[in-house]
């Protein structure tokens, strides 16, 4: 448990250090934001302030389609014409690089193993760009999305860009129909999802203790990450980091995946 705590502190300290050492004016770069008010004395803008500290991030504050949201299941509409989502891996395993971004644990697939999704609410084919894990220090506060007011210990976000219309992620993220994010809630259990276990086992996670650490993982089967269901909730929203572009179709899978308590702690 001591090791676990050290990592938590290190990640948070990095956020504070990079933002408190410089004057305000030079802080207004893309890296300067945070999810939580980690230390009272240190002014790192949290989501409700993102739009106020940088005018290029206005959408974060005044946007009308901002994610994440609280999903009220009683307000949902069943659409009988929505087809299941199609995952296309061409039957191949993939490799990718795990990063500690200082804010998330992230996996970027290498360019040799392309994974596409299409179908469902998507009118185009979207290529997987990044898998981002969100965790909280408390069990019910790790997920970004909330279901009927209830949070989850974590949330996996598979971030894809529209490869039919755009050359790359940077172009797509600011453009219409640019992004599709598949979101899967994470719950705690005795057993761990096979894919997440590759990302979060002790051997992997100790190699990315520090911000900007990276580690290569091979032989991953992305299909293992998806729960066994074809049901999902979908809505049009935004990316959840500044500048909060409202270009994202969200697909929230109707079943969670599981990790062990230890894995959540280690990766916060
Ligand atoms: C995804 O789409 C691209 C472009 O259409 C294609 O080159 C690639 O083979 C596809 N990937 C898979 C895994 O089918
Ligand atoms: C993305 O594509 C655009 C348009 O083709 C190009 O100008 C830009 O340099 C590309 N960005 C990256 C990061 O590859």
């Amino acid at each position: 448990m001591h090791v676990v705590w050290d990592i938590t502190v290190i990640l948070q300290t990095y956020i504070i250090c990079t933002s408190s050492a410089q004057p305000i004016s030079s802080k207004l770069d893309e890296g300067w934001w945070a999810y939580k008010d980690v230390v009272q004395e240190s002014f790192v803008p949290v989501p409700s302030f993102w739009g106020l500290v940088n005018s290029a991030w206005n959408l974060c504050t005044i946007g009308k389609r901002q994610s994440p949201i609280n999903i009220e299941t009683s307000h949902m509409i069943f659409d009988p014409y929505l087809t299941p989502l199609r995952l296309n891996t061409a039957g191949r395993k993939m490799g990718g690089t795990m990063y500690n971004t200082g804010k998330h644990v992230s996996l970027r697939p290498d360019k040799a193993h392309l994974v596409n999704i299409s179908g469902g609410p998507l009118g185009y084919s979207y290529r997987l760009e990044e898998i981002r894990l969100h965790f909280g220090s408390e069990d019910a506060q790790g997920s970004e999305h909330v279901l009927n007011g209830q949070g989850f210990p974590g949330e996996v976000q598979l971030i894809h860009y529209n490869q039919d219309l755009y050359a790359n992620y940077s172009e797509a993220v600011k453009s219409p129909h640019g992004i599709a994010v598949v979101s899967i809630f994470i719950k705690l259990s005795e057993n761990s999802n096979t894919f997440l276990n590759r990302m979060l086992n002790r051997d992997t996670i100790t190699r990315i203790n520090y911000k900007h650490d990276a580690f290569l993982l091979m032989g991953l089967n992305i299909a293992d990450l998806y729960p066994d269901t074809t049901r999902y909730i979908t809505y049009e929203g935004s990316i959840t980091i500044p500048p909060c572009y409202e270009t994202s179709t969200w697909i929230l899978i109707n079943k969670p995946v599981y990790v062990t308590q230890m894995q959540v702690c280690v990766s916060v």
Side-chain angles (χ1 to χ4, degrees):
M1 250 1 225
H2 271 108
V3 177
V4 168
W5 178 244
D6 282 348
I7 295 170
T8 311
V9 173
I10 289 161
L11 293 185
Q12 297 196 337
T13 320
Y14 263 83
I15 297 174
I16 298 160
C17 293
T18 53
S19 60
S20 59
Q22 303 134 23
I24 293 275
S25 56
S26 67
K27 285 183 192 168
L28 297 181
D29 59 48
E30 292 195 357
W32 190 61
W33 50 269
Y35 290 107
K36 285 180 206 148
D37 221 344
V38 276
V39 176
Q40 256 71 37
E41 301 89 76
S42 152
F43 181 60
V44 180
V46 292
S48 53
F49 282 104
W50 288 346
L52 301 177
V53 295
N54 184 336
S55 59
W57 299 347
N58 270 347
L59 270 179
C60 305
T61 303
I62 60 170
K64 297 270 190 269
R65 282 193 350 211
Q66 286 293 298
S67 300
I69 58 170
N70 172 30
I71 293 149
E72 291 285 350
T73 43
S74 61
H75 297 171
M76 284 179 1
I77 299 166
F78 178 70
D79 181 347
Y81 297 104
L82 271 180
T83 55
L85 194 65
R86 281 197 307 276
L87 171 68
N88 180 7
T89 62
R92 297 176 59 202
K93 299 202 167 172
M94 63 162 223
T97 311
M98 293 258 308
Y99 292 97
N100 171 351
T101 66
K103 301 180 181 88
H104 327 97
V105 175
S106 166
L107 177 84
R108 301 243 167 82
D110 67 46
K111 303 288 178 218
H113 305 91
L114 302 181
V115 173
N116 298 334
I117 56 166
S118 57
L122 307 174
Y124 301 91
S125 168
Y126 289 74
R127 181 181 296 175
L128 182 63
E129 171 79 10
E130 182 184 344
I131 299 174
R132 196 179 286 168
L133 305 186
H134 290 271
F135 288 106
S137 46
E138 284 165 55
D139 281 359
Q141 295 179 2
S143 63
E144 288 205 303
H145 283 87
V146 167
L147 191 64
N148 299 319
Q150 189 68 43
F152 290 81
E155 181 173 343
V156 193
Q157 294 175 353
L158 296 103
I159 302 169
H160 308 72
Y161 73 89
N162 184 329
Q163 61 175 358
D164 289 341
L165 297 184
Y166 307 112
N168 51 43
Y169 174 84
S170 347
E171 198 192 330
V173 71
K174 27 184 175 179
S175 313
H177 308 292
I179 302 297
V181 188
V182 174
S183 167
I184 309 170
F185 287 122
I186 299 176
K187 287 173 92 169
L188 302 179
S189 153
E190 299 295 300
N191 301 310
S192 186
N193 172 276
T194 318
F195 189 99
L196 291 180
N197 191 41
R198 285 291 310 281
M199 288 182 74
L200 295 176
N201 68 48
R202 185 166 290 279
D203 187 45
T204 311
I205 211 78
T206 51
R207 291 168 199 257
I208 57 161
N209 274 358
Y210 297 96
K211 189 179 175 185
H212 301 318
D213 278 355
F215 179 62
L216 191 65
L217 279 180
M218 298 299 289
L220 296 166
N221 186 1
I222 193 86
D224 290 342
L225 181 51
Y226 280 79
D228 187 18
T229 179
T230 55
R231 307 184 62 151
Y232 55 80
I233 296 164
T234 182
Y235 77 97
E236 294 296 320
S238 73
I239 60 165
T240 57
I241 60 172
C244 309
Y245 294 124
E246 296 182 328
T247 52
S248 182
T249 301
W250 283 85
I251 299 166
L252 287 87
I253 304 294
N254 164 286
K255 274 189 186 170
V257 282
Y258 296 91
V259 300
T260 64
Q261 174 78 49
M262 197 54 158
Q263 290 175 325
V264 170
C265 296
V266 175
S267 53
V268 166

